[in-house]
Amino acid sequence: MSIPLRLLILGAHPDDAEFHAGGLAALYRQHGHDVKMVSVTDGAAGHHFRQADELRRIRRNEAAAAGDRIGAVYETWDYPDGQLQPTLELRHQVIRECRQFAPDLVLTHRPNDYHPDHRAVGQAVQDASYMVTVPLVCPDVPILRRDPVVAYMPDLFTRPYPMVPDVVLDITDLMDTITGMLACHASQVFEFLPFNQGIADQVPQDSAAQFQWLRQWYGRIIEPRADRYRNELIHQYGSERGGKIAYAEIFEVSEYASPLTAESRARLFWFSRDT
């Protein structure tokens, strides 16, 4: 039996990992690979009526439950939500996490993003990428002999440039799994985000109806990914299937860590053709 791959997802908030890369995480677990998801912040700012101490506890439990849905570890760090900076302290924690988990693949946010916490995590991971191999940086934890491949989770931002679609993944058959993970974050998907978007009156009270509502809501948000990268999906899956894919995840490989070679593509993204 081959050695399982190790996927580390470093997101800014509880629910970022599954919102942006839940399909790849679920696929990794289906194939017996190890997945760890990390929320760098405590998530304690994302609500309109719950207080921070209560919300911090709730969101930590929600994240753990979301990880349990696919058999993944979900860890929540203690940096204050909404106040994250790409500090040396954060960089060192990312370095130590990467060395201790020894991932083959790391996913994170791009350093340009609407949310300052997202940008801070992306910058910290970029700054840590090479340093994981430097012995006198964080000398208390043994170095990695080489960088993992680092890739950015999908977004639709165009400035300073749109995402480069190094890897595309059809997640249509994984939407129920992703929705189940997201549904664990009830304080967000059924409370705060509908309030924030002015659609709180649309959320059903029945749990089964809530699941279907959430699947449709999430689907509407991510549909533009497939439309923007339709050519790459057709290249990956052929014209018949690729032309019909509604839901996809797109990943851009960072230039600041290990390059995506033919060998690493075949290992890490076994479903992928060179796009």
Side-chain angles (χ1 to χ4, degrees), residues 74-85:
Y74 209 133
E75 187 174 293
T76 304
W77 292 354
D78 295 324
Y79 291 91
D81 185 5
Q83 303 177 46
L84 195 64
Q85 296 288 330

Side-chain angles (χ1 to χ4, degrees), residues 189 191 193-204 213 217 220:
V189 298
E191 296 177 2
L193 292 175
F195 164 81
N196 188 252
Q197 296 178 3
I199 57 171
D201 59 331
Q202 299 179 16
V203 179
W213 177 87
W217 173 82
R220 286 194 300 270

Side-chain angles (χ1 to χ4, degrees), residues 43-47 51-59 187-188:
H47 217 277
Q51 297 302 306
D53 286 345
E54 176 192 21
L55 187 60
R56 186 178 296 110
R57 174 183 53 80
I58 288 172
R59 298 202 69 186
S187 71
Q188 301 302 292

Side-chain angles (χ1 to χ4, degrees), residues 38-50:
V38 172
S39 170
V40 172
T41 76
D42 59 10
H47 217 277
H48 50 302
F49 66 81
R50 299 188 187 276

Side-chain angles (χ1 to χ4, degrees), residues 258-270:
S258 286
L260 186 63
T261 63
E263 185 275 333
S264 59
R265 178 185 290 274
R267 279 196 320 117
L268 303 176
F269 304 109
W270 61 91

Side-chain angles (χ1 to χ4, degrees), residues 10-24:
L10 291 163
H13 308 102
D15 74 15
D16 279 340
E18 51 272 62
F19 191 97
H20 298 290
L24 186 63

Side-chain angles (χ1 to χ4, degrees), residues 25-259:
L27 188 63
Y28 259 60
R29 289 298 302 129
Q30 287 178 5
H31 285 77
H33 301 305
D34 298 326
V35 175
K36 182 174 184 179
M37 298 180 283
V38 172
S39 170
V40 172
T41 76
D42 59 10
H47 217 277
H48 50 302
F49 66 81
R50 299 188 187 276
Q51 297 302 306
D53 286 345
E54 176 192 21
L55 187 60
R56 186 178 296 110
R57 174 183 53 80
I58 288 172
R59 298 202 69 186
R60 189 177 300 272
N61 292 337
E62 289 174 341
D68 287 344
R69 292 294 292 260
I70 61 169
V73 174
Y74 209 133
E75 187 174 293
T76 304
W77 292 354
D78 295 324
Y79 291 91
D81 185 5
Q83 303 177 46
L84 195 64
Q85 296 288 330
T87 60
L88 190 59
E89 176 191 6
L90 176 57
R91 185 196 306 172
H92 285 174
Q93 188 159 352
V94 170
I95 290 169
R96 290 186 173 97
E97 179 64 39
C98 289
R99 289 177 178 176
Q100 290 166 349
F101 187 70
D104 299 282
L105 174 64
V106 176
L107 301 181
T108 192
H109 306 281
R110 282 204 294 171
N112 22 273
D113 189 290
Y114 83 103
H115 200 300
D117 289 351
H118 293 190
R119 295 197 299 270
V121 173
Q123 187 66 57
V125 174
Q126 178 175 301
D127 293 345
S129 292
Y130 169 67
M131 294 299 183
V132 298
T133 69
V134 180
L136 293 184
V137 175
C138 302
D140 54 306
V141 184
I143 63 167
L144 298 180
R145 296 304 302 172
R146 64 176 184 176
D147 283 318
V149 171
V150 175
Y152 299 123
M153 298 186 289
D155 65 56
L156 294 169
F157 303 113
T158 59
R159 297 180 181 178
Y161 69 92
M163 285 198 76
V164 176
D166 291 310
V167 176
V168 295
L169 171 63
D170 178 8
I171 61 170
T172 303
D173 292 342
L174 297 164
M175 283 293 286
D176 283 348
T177 300
I178 300 169
T179 303
M181 295 171 72
L182 289 171
C184 293
H185 299 275
S187 71
Q188 301 302 292
V189 298
F190 301 132
E191 296 177 2
F192 175 62
L193 292 175
F195 164 81
N196 188 252
Q197 296 178 3
I199 57 171
D201 59 331
Q202 299 179 16
V203 179
Q205 297 303 306
D206 175 73
S207 58
Q210 282 184 343
F211 183 91
Q212 291 305 317
W213 177 87
L214 176 59
R215 193 184 192 282
Q216 294 172 5
W217 173 82
Y218 177 63
R220 286 194 300 270
I221 291 174
I222 68 170
E223 275 180 333
R225 297 177 187 166
D227 292 336
R228 178 176 293 181
Y229 297 104
R230 182 65 60 193
N231 289 339
E232 289 77 14
L233 289 168
I234 289 172
H235 176 80
Q236 171 68 43
Y237 294 101
S239 57
E240 183 175 356
R241 178 178 170 183
K244 298 176 181 178
I245 291 170
Y247 309 116
E249 288 176 355
I250 318 298
F251 302 100
E252 174 186 342
V253 175
S254 170
E255 297 177 293
Y256 302 98
S258 286

